[in-house]
Amino acid sequence: DATKYILIGGASQNGAIQYSNTGLYIKFHNLQIANNNYYVFRGPDGSGAHYIDIYNCIIKRGTKTGLCVAFSIASGGTFKIYNNIIYGFATESSGYVISACDYAVTIYAENNTMDNNDYGFNIGTTTNVVVTAINNIGRGSGNTNAYVGTKFVSSDYNATNGTDTGDGGANSIQSGTFTFVDSSNADLTLRDYHLTSGATSAIDTSGRSSSVNIGFTNDIDGVTRSGTWDIGADEFVAAGGARRVIFIN
């Protein structure tokens, strides 16, 4: 939302948001972030266990070309990443939403909307990483790059517009149809990733009526999710329903 505050990481910074030390308990939420360097969220490599929640954020690539990563996870602990919209990390085949290294880390990713990124989850075969991905939309990452790696556990009800089955979910959707209010504006700050009624692969298709591992009940705008949840960060509201409002701190 171009009318709201946007945190922009400078070209000389490795991360728009960087955290250090060990044993941190941090919640990042209701932020709009762009980064002009390698990473948006980044912690120090191998710095012990962290417990990080990242939710209700709008995260996009800034002007960086080449390698750029929304979430660079290179330490142990538990990361809960949910209700975020992450887009635009498509640059020279080196743009990633989540990249994790070989540390004892558990990643829960639920109800994120990911669009126009070279890669979604880039986990590889690293021994100590465990990822549970549920109810995520991954659009625009081709047929093999939405879920890269073999460390997905109990992941299901994700949806892509490609043929990627890397999450291993028996109920996940391939070659899906996702329509948004405006996902093609050349100005990334003007895009609108609320679902439209044409998003038939996302609306009421999650097979879930609650969060599996995290415990949230609303969508990115604070709208209460009800019935069978929609896949992605937005819970669709039909015309004439309650209007969504995004609060950016």
Side-chain angles (χ1 to χ4, degrees):
D1 187 337
T3 67
K4 302 294 191 301
Y5 173 79
I6 303 176
L7 172 64
I8 300 177
S12 62
Q13 296 174 303
N14 277 336
I17 294 179
Q18 299 185 71
Y19 51 90
S20 59
N21 299 319
T22 60
L24 296 178
Y25 292 77
I26 307 175
K27 293 184 178 183
F28 300 102
H29 60 93
N30 296 85
L31 296 171
Q32 188 169 213
I33 310 169
N35 196 42
N36 294 335
N37 207 293
Y38 294 110
Y39 309 102
V40 177
F41 288 92
R42 177 172 172 77
D45 294 348
S47 61
H50 299 298
Y51 302 89
I52 310 292
D53 290 9
I54 304 170
Y55 58 97
N56 294 5
C57 293
I58 299 172
I59 301 164
K60 52 186 171 287
R61 179 179 62 86
T63 59
K64 179 69 171 67
T65 59
L67 175 66
C68 54
V69 183
F71 306 104
S72 176
I73 299 174
S75 62
T78 301
F79 288 73
K80 298 178 180 179
I81 301 171
Y82 59 100
N83 270 354
N84 300 291
I85 297 171
I86 309 109
Y87 66 97
F89 289 82
T91 168
E92 301 174 13
S93 300
S94 300
Y96 303 86
V97 174
I98 296 177
S99 182
C101 297
D102 191 10
Y103 294 94
V105 60
T106 299
I107 302 170
Y108 297 111
E110 294 187 20
N111 285 94
N112 298 287
T113 296
M114 303 174 288
D115 184 50
N116 190 31
N117 305 296
D118 291 326
Y119 292 83
F121 295 82
N122 182 47
I123 309 303
T125 58
T126 51
T127 304
N128 296 314
V129 179
V130 176
V131 180
T132 299
I134 297 172
N135 290 1
N136 299 286
I137 292 175
R139 190 181 77 158
S141 296
N143 292 323
T144 59
N145 291 341
Y147 300 93
V148 177
T150 60
K151 307 305 293 184
F152 294 94
V153 176
S154 301
S155 297
D156 207 354
Y157 290 100
N158 299 293
T160 74
N161 67 329
T163 58
D164 197 319
T165 59
D167 70 325
N171 300 291
S172 290
I173 297 170
Q174 291 81 43
S175 302
T177 299
F178 312 100
T179 55
F180 305 101
V181 173
D182 182 358
S183 61
S184 60
N185 199 305
D187 185 344
L188 294 183
T189 63
L190 297 179
R191 293 190 181 182
D192 186 339
Y193 279 98
H194 288 108
L195 297 172
T196 71
S197 59
T200 54
S201 296
I203 297 174
D204 296 336
T205 57
S206 72
R208 310 280 185 177
S209 59
S210 63
S211 167
V212 177
N213 296 297
I214 301 174
F216 61 97
T217 58
N218 297 337
D219 75 351
I220 188 173
D221 301 320
V223 172
T224 300
R225 296 181 182 270
S226 60
T228 301
W229 285 15
D230 298 343
I231 296 177
D234 177 45
E235 186 77 3
F236 176 71
V237 177
R243 185 57 188 160
R244 315 169 185 86
V245 178
I246 297 179
F247 297 96
I248 303 295
N249 290 338

